[in-house]
Amino acid sequence: MLRSTRVAALLAAALLTATTAACAGGGGAAAPATSPDGKQVITWWHNATQDTLKDYFQDAADRFTAAHPDVTFQIEPVQNETIQTKIRVGLQSNDPPDLFQQWGGGDLATQVESGKIADITDATKDVVESMGPIADPWSVDGKQYGLPYSVGVTGLWYRTDLFAQAGITQTPKTMDEFYAVVDQLKAAGIVPVALGGKDKWPDAFWWANFATRECPQAALEAVTTDLAMTDPCFVKAGQDVQQLIAANPFQEGFLATPAQEGAASSAGMLANGQAAMELMGHWNEGQTTGLTPDKQPLGDKLGWFPFPTVPGGKGTPGATVGGGDGFSCSASAPPACVEFLKFLASDEEQSTFGATNTGLPAAKAAESSVTGTSIKAVLEARGASPYNQLYFDKALPTDVGQALNDEIAGLFAGTSDPQRIVDVVAEAAASR
Amino acid sequence: MVTTTSPRQVAVPPVGDRPQRRSPTGRSSARRRGEIALFLGPALLLYATFVIVPMVLAGYYSLFNWNGLGPLDQFIGIDNYTRAAGDPVFRAAVGHNALIVVLSVVVQLPLALALALLLNRRLRGRAILRMVLFAPYVLAEVVTAVAWQLILQPSGPLNTLLENMGLESWAQLWLADRDLVIYSLFIVITWKYLGFGIVLFLAGLQGVPNELLEAATVDGASAWHRTRYVVLPLLGPTIRIWIFLSVIGALQLFDLVWIMTKGGPSNASVTMATFLIDRGFERSQIGYGSAAAVLLFIISFVFALLYQRYVMRRDTEGALTRRVG
């Protein structure tokens, strides 16, 4: 009950802000970056509503203000599904947040059109250089518009205790082995896979992983550059999804299950041992921690393995689907904003973040701070990955990416087909 | 209230008969205008800022292909409207709204009426019953939606209850079944808004004079006849205003659907309002979303006009349109 009221309160707050922000669109000057007494106030919207990461962000802000007494933060954690809409509305208003969650890619490119995202190329040159290609999604046309604090890859998170209960000794390496595992779990009366179909992007994770196994790197890269999926491998990815659905590995009613909200969400099911696996990003250890009854990390009970190989797939072996979490400053933000971005990306701060085991630090020097067994496995996969496909809904421009997600969700609901997904992307790109 | 030029008001003496030019009537009319400006001004300003201006802007944006972030320079005329008309998802949304409208009138109206008639009688615990039935209406939509989302989960309280009662076959995937989801939402809407109808009808029932009922009883009318031929006709204006409010509410349905299903699974519960928010803010197609918003406005507005003109005419007559006497 506590959780649901919290969710409700957040939603209510978000709706309210959305309304006021929308109303404010008509006129009025941008908010002053500094208050009259010379203090810099940074409003910060992030999506960490679960304790560990939320606390880390608060601590980081406290550490920064200790060194910069003229800076104060107004931190607003917003639930992940809500914050995406909230940021879009905020950027359309004349009073965008100073510092906000940023996933990069085509989504960022769309936002940059507004002219409200701060170009931080010069200020962050050194950091970007040391991060390497990991920081690429936060740049558009050679200019840097944000910095990641956490970058990782998707893969299958699983419950070691439930696998043992079903007599599974090895994690599956191929799809055939995966289906065998699904059957074994079912025979033991365990829901094999939890899926948050209500939010659509978890569906898209499955399709994108199949596409990365089926498609050669050049075909994948062409999606973002040409906004088209011409290679027949993308249709095959849809067929792979259909085969998966036919095996019926998901919980009952997965079409209406949220991904992260509450104990009945797909992450909650994994956290509470009601499902054995979930295809999810690198943040899932932190996510599940907040959804267990005692809010304790699952520890050894949680494991991770990479997405299985698909027989006959033309994808580069070891290629991954992933992306990262970062932040952008708005153009109207006080100068301390970019300083804080660099502070978050510093080796020291990244190590502190890594030690929370809520995600993978973006800075290479901080990799040794990661200690959790499963999160270390994600780190290895990230390091070994020859090509990482940024989540398609982030890599593509916002409208095309969302149209793709909707159609993939339709495939899971049985109202679409593999060819239709490819067509919809072309249609959405044409109507831009 | 306002001085009128109606030819009926011949009793007012001609102004020219008065000796002074600055008559008390003239001064008071200027003062009155000042008063009107003073009292209406702020309300009009607020109304213009928050209702008229956004509506005009939405109409303007709807003529552009615009993502809300870049420059507003791709004028495309009525393309967004033709696109909406041909969009199967928008059509589905209109269909879902229409279904909710029809279901509201066909199901909620008789139910609320029957309960109001029941609660209007002397019965034990009446106050508590009234409160229980009205309580959902007071709850915020968001709270309602979150609570019902939990109740309607596959292994949630409702299905558990059905199973414990030996009705396993009645247990459903209330929100995940594409054929069922819109009806599940309708049940929640009914639960939430029934209390409002009941309270409205109870108020209307207080206006039914006891003398008429007594006279009907003396004339030998049965309870059914008294209800059918005395109570219901006198409740007519209340019923008509309830239908009006209910239809407008059903057309603009948003909060409950957005939180419980986001219009899914796969658009099976999309409404015009969730559609325009999804296209406008999720997909960043502000132009297209605005077009959908304008269409929703036109549909609601046309309904409101026609309904006022043809159905509620007698109810508002005398009160608004013509002065009595």
Side-chain angles (χ1 to χ4, degrees):
Chain A
M1 201 56 225
L2 187 78
R3 257 220 64 82
S4 61
T5 36
R6 211 163 64 184
V7 173
L10 275 173
L11 276 169
L15 280 172
L16 252 178
T17 332
T19 330
T20 18
C23 291
T34 47
S35 60
D37 53 357
K39 279 214 155 203
Q40 304 188 41
V41 184
I42 297 178
T43 51
W44 182 12
W45 294 359
H46 64 64
N47 73 344
T49 46
Q50 301 292 357
D51 292 340
T52 323
L53 189 54
K54 191 171 76 179
D55 293 346
Y56 164 71
F57 281 148
Q58 182 64 55
D59 294 346
D62 292 345
R63 280 191 289 273
F64 186 77
T65 45
H68 303 80
D70 60 327
V71 177
T72 48
F73 282 90
Q74 285 178 355
I75 305 179
E76 202 179 323
V78 186
Q79 204 282 328
N80 185 55
E81 309 311 320
T82 317
I83 199 170
Q84 324 214 13
T85 316
K86 196 175 150 131
I87 289 170
R88 279 175 206 134
V89 176
L91 286 175
Q92 282 156 22
S93 80
N94 284 328
D95 188 18
D98 298 316
L99 178 63
F100 56 93
Q101 199 84 22
Q102 183 61 262
W103 291 272
D107 210 24
L108 170 63
T110 310
Q111 293 178 7
V112 166
E113 284 180 39
S114 72
K116 288 185 182 133
I117 316 281
D119 176 355
I120 55 171
T121 317
D122 296 336
T124 58
K125 208 170 233 165
D126 300 341
V127 192
V128 172
E129 237 162 58
S130 79
M131 275 187 180
I134 265 182
D136 280 354
W138 287 267
S139 71
V140 178
D141 297 332
K143 287 183 183 152
Q144 199 72 22
Y145 289 100
L147 283 181
Y149 63 88
S150 180
V151 172
V153 295
T154 55
L156 284 142
W157 294 84
Y158 72 103
R159 292 284 302 229
T160 50
D161 50 343
L162 295 183
F163 267 45
Q165 197 183 316
I168 302 161
T169 48
Q170 266 207 322
T171 54
K173 298 214 164 37
T174 65
M175 273 319 282
D176 294 334
E177 289 176 24
F178 179 82
Y179 287 125
V181 163
V182 165
D183 289 340
Q184 265 177 289
L185 286 164
K186 274 194 191 170
I190 299 164
V191 174
V193 184
L195 176 64
K198 182 191 174 194
D199 292 321
K200 298 170 192 166
W201 55 263
D203 298 345
F205 275 12
W206 282 97
W207 185 88
N209 270 290
F210 278 123
T212 311
R213 291 279 172 270
E214 292 285 6
C215 299
Q217 186 172 333
L220 291 170
E221 282 168 343
V223 174
T224 326
T225 49
D226 309 346
L227 302 187
M229 299 175 172
T230 38
D231 196 300
C233 63
F234 292 103
V235 178
K236 282 188 88 177
Q239 289 161 349
D240 290 338
V241 169
Q242 284 182 319
Q243 195 190 345
L244 173 77
I245 298 168
N248 200 15
F250 305 119
Q251 81 274 17
E252 226 190 349
F254 64 86
L255 292 176
T257 307
Q260 300 179 336
E261 292 155 90
S265 64
S266 54
M269 290 183 75
L270 189 72
N272 296 301
Q274 287 161 343
M277 292 183 271
E278 189 190 15
L279 176 62
M280 205 28 75
H282 52 116
W283 55 82
N284 219 26
E285 183 155 6
Q287 190 68 39
T288 48
T289 301
L291 293 169
T292 52
D294 52 3
K295 305 228 165 184
Q296 290 304 307
L298 289 168
D300 297 347
K301 286 188 198 153
L302 197 62
W304 188 90
F305 61 89
F307 197 84
T309 58
V310 175
K314 294 191 186 73
T316 318
T320 48
V321 175
D325 300 293
F327 293 109
S328 278
C329 291
S330 61
S332 58
C337 187
V338 63
E339 290 307 313
F340 183 65
L341 272 185
K342 282 159 72 180
F343 173 76
L344 275 185
S346 67
D347 293 346
E348 201 185 348
E349 204 51 44
Q350 283 273 282
S351 298
T352 317
F353 165 71
T356 64
N357 285 327
T358 52
L360 289 180
K364 287 203 183 65
E367 283 181 357
S368 57
S369 65
V370 175
T371 53
T373 355
S374 39
I375 195 87
K376 263 185 158 165
V378 185
L379 181 64
E380 270 167 42
R382 181 182 93 178
S385 170
Y387 173 75
N388 180 63
Q389 173 60 49
L390 180 63
Y391 317 117
F392 282 108
D393 57 349
K394 298 297 175 198
L396 291 164
T398 311
D399 47 350
V400 184
Q402 294 301 322
L404 173 64
N405 277 7
D406 276 4
E407 209 53 43
I408 294 171
L411 186 63
F412 277 81
T415 59
S416 187
D417 58 68
Q419 182 60 45
R420 184 85 199 109
I421 291 175
V422 173
D423 295 345
V424 157
V425 169
E427 284 165 23
S431 72
R432 297 202 86 226
Chain B
M1 252 180 77
V2 190
T3 37
T4 159
T5 49
S6 162
R8 281 192 193 178
Q9 296 210 323
V10 283
V12 177
V15 179
D17 288 0
R18 298 281 168 123
Q20 317 108 301
R21 293 212 71 76
R22 292 197 138 257
S23 67
T25 9
R27 193 181 300 162
S28 82
S29 97
R31 212 182 112 186
R32 200 163 270 181
R33 264 186 225 127
E35 273 171 10
I36 290 170
L38 188 70
F39 287 129
L40 276 185
L44 270 179
L45 193 73
L46 280 176
Y47 189 74
T49 317
F50 292 109
V51 181
I52 307 284
V53 172
M55 260 165 38
V56 172
L57 280 179
Y60 180 64
Y61 295 153
S62 72
L63 303 174
F64 289 85
N65 182 8
W66 187 45
N67 64 11
L69 296 168
L72 185 67
D73 55 6
Q74 261 195 70
F75 183 83
I76 53 167
I78 59 161
D79 275 12
N80 278 329
Y81 292 93
T82 45
R83 185 175 165 197
D87 190 331
V89 180
F90 186 71
R91 286 181 179 196
V94 176
H96 293 147
N97 279 118
L99 182 69
I100 297 287
V101 166
V102 171
L103 283 176
S104 298
V105 175
V106 174
V107 177
Q108 286 178 6
L109 179 62
L111 205 59
L113 257 182
L115 285 168
L117 287 169
L118 194 73
L119 288 174
N120 199 35
R121 298 162 60 162
R122 291 179 184 283
L123 78 161
R124 199 181 282 266
R126 184 172 70 168
I128 294 176
L129 272 177
R130 280 183 181 180
M131 202 186 72
V132 165
L133 284 166
F134 191 64
Y137 181 70
V138 185
L139 276 183
E141 291 231 358
V142 181
V143 177
T144 311
V146 172
W148 274 94
Q149 199 188 343
L150 295 174
I151 293 171
L152 295 177
Q153 277 165 22
S155 53
L158 181 59
N159 278 352
T160 313
L161 181 77
L162 289 171
E163 275 155 30
N164 289 343
M165 283 162 59
L167 298 167
E168 288 90 351
S169 58
W170 288 27
Q172 298 288 345
L173 298 175
W174 302 103
L175 297 177
D177 186 331
R178 295 192 75 249
D179 300 325
L180 202 66
V181 61
I182 195 80
Y183 300 99
S184 306
L185 287 171
F186 176 71
I187 291 173
V188 181
I189 296 166
T190 307
W191 178 84
K192 172 120 177 64
Y193 288 102
L194 202 62
F196 176 67
I198 292 171
V199 164
L200 210 62
F201 295 142
L202 275 174
L205 284 171
Q206 308 316 308
V208 178
N210 256 330
E211 295 80 8
L212 277 180
L213 292 171
E214 277 163 16
T217 316
V218 170
D219 286 344
S222 66
W224 162 246
H225 280 125
R226 285 200 299 275
T227 307
R228 172 69 189 79
Y229 296 105
V230 180
V231 175
L232 281 187
L234 285 173
L235 214 50
T238 318
I239 294 175
R240 286 190 284 272
I241 191 78
W242 179 86
I243 293 178
F244 181 72
L245 295 173
S246 177
V247 170
I248 293 292
L251 285 174
Q252 300 181 341
L253 183 61
F254 174 72
D255 315 39
L256 282 174
V257 181
W258 188 251
I259 295 163
M260 290 175 71
T261 68
K262 268 192 170 176
S266 189
N267 300 321
S269 63
V270 65
T271 68
M272 284 187 276
T274 65
F275 178 86
L276 76 91
I277 292 290
D278 179 76
R279 291 307 185 267
F281 294 120
E282 299 281 312
R283 290 201 185 181
S284 249
Q285 298 169 339
I286 297 290
Y288 190 34
S290 296
V294 171
L295 288 173
L296 169 59
F297 169 74
I298 291 174
I299 292 172
S300 304
F301 192 62
V302 167
F303 165 77
L305 282 183
L306 291 178
Y307 195 83
Q308 299 247 18
R309 177 77 180 79
Y310 291 105
V311 181
M312 287 181 35
R313 194 172 169 195
R314 278 197 319 163
D315 303 333
T316 49
E317 209 168 60
L320 291 174
T321 44
R322 212 180 298 156
R323 287 176 61 125
V324 183

